[in-house]
Amino acid sequence: MMTERTEVQVRPGVEGDLKALTDIYNHYVRETPITFDTSVFTPEERRPWLLSHPEDGPYLLKVAADADSQEILGYATSSPFRAKPAYATSVEVTVYLAPHSPGGRGLGTLLYEALFESLAAEDVHRAYAGIAQPNEASRRLHERFGFRHVGTYREVGRKFGRYWDVAWYEKDL
C-alpha cells in the first residue's frame, strides 16, 4: 500500500508493464461499471492495446510506478477518439489506478500532468473523456484539468444487469 512518503515515477509504459496493466484493467472490468468491457483479458490479448500507445505521437501511455519497487500504481492514456480520419486531432483520455492505490493521493493528477505535457507537443486539438456515472472522483479530476461537461448519454451501456449513463467531458489542447 502506498504511504505519504512513497516516491512515484511517471514514465512511458513499456512491454514489461503489460501484466500489471492488464491486472489493473481487469479489476475495473470485474468490479465496476467504469469500463464497459464485460470479460477480463489475458496480457496477450491486451498486447495490441499496449503497442497502440508508442512513446511518441498523440496516442500515449503514461505509467505511475513506485520509485523503489517499480510496482505499477496506475496509468493514463490518450487514444483515438474515433477511427475516421477527420477525428485525428482529437483524443480520448482516461486514468486507471491500481485498486490498492488509495484515491486522493494525487496519482491521477501526476499521470494527467505527464500526459498533457506530452500531448502539448503533438498535433492534437481536443481531449475527450467519457465518465460512467456516478463517478465523482473522476469528474473532479477532469474538471481540475479544465474539462467541461458537454453532454450525457443516458443508459448507453448495460453491465451488471443495469443500464449506465456516460457523461462526456471536453478539453481544449
Side-chain angles (χ1 to χ4, degrees):
M1 177 171 255
M2 195 168 103
T3 67
E4 293 288 344
R5 295 185 311 266
T6 299
E7 299 249 354
V8 176
Q9 172 190 41
V10 178
R11 58 171 173 73
V14 296
E15 184 87 16
D17 300 327
L18 185 57
K19 182 181 179 331
L21 296 172
T22 302
D23 289 346
I24 291 170
Y25 189 72
N26 282 340
H27 163 77
Y28 290 93
V29 171
R30 281 189 311 270
E31 305 294 330
T32 78
I34 288 174
T35 176
F36 284 176
D37 277 317
T38 57
S39 298
V40 297
F41 293 86
T42 66
E44 207 46 48
E45 290 168 329
R46 287 288 279 178
R47 185 174 310 285
W49 165 84
L50 179 88
L51 296 176
S52 73
H53 294 89
E55 282 193 45
D56 60 352
Y59 310 132
L60 302 169
L61 167 62
K62 297 294 183 178
V63 171
D66 180 287
D68 295 325
S69 70
Q70 290 302 299
E71 176 186 15
I72 303 300
L73 304 171
Y75 65 92
T77 62
S78 58
S79 301
F81 177 66
R82 295 285 184 267
K84 294 183 170 122
Y87 289 116
T89 60
S90 296
V91 293
E92 186 172 347
V93 297
T94 193
V95 171
Y96 287 94
L97 300 180
H100 63 275
S101 298
R105 298 283 176 102
L107 282 177
T109 298
L110 285 173
L111 285 161
Y112 261 2
E113 285 172 348
L115 182 68
F116 290 121
E117 181 180 318
S118 294
L119 285 174
E122 300 297 333
D123 182 22
V124 180
H125 183 63
R126 292 265 196 282
Y128 294 91
I131 304 172
Q133 298 298 296
N135 190 333
E136 187 65 19
S138 186
R139 182 194 62 78
R140 283 192 313 269
L141 174 67
H142 287 87
E143 287 179 351
R144 188 175 321 121
F145 276 88
F147 282 81
R148 64 182 178 84
H149 182 252
V150 292
T152 300
Y153 293 159
R154 302 282 177 206
E155 297 184 351
V156 69
R158 186 172 65 187
K159 188 172 179 181
F160 304 135
R162 68 168 275 201
Y163 288 96
W164 301 91
D165 296 347
V166 174
W168 283 93
Y169 288 77
E170 172 184 79
K171 173 184 174 60
D172 297 341
L173 297 175

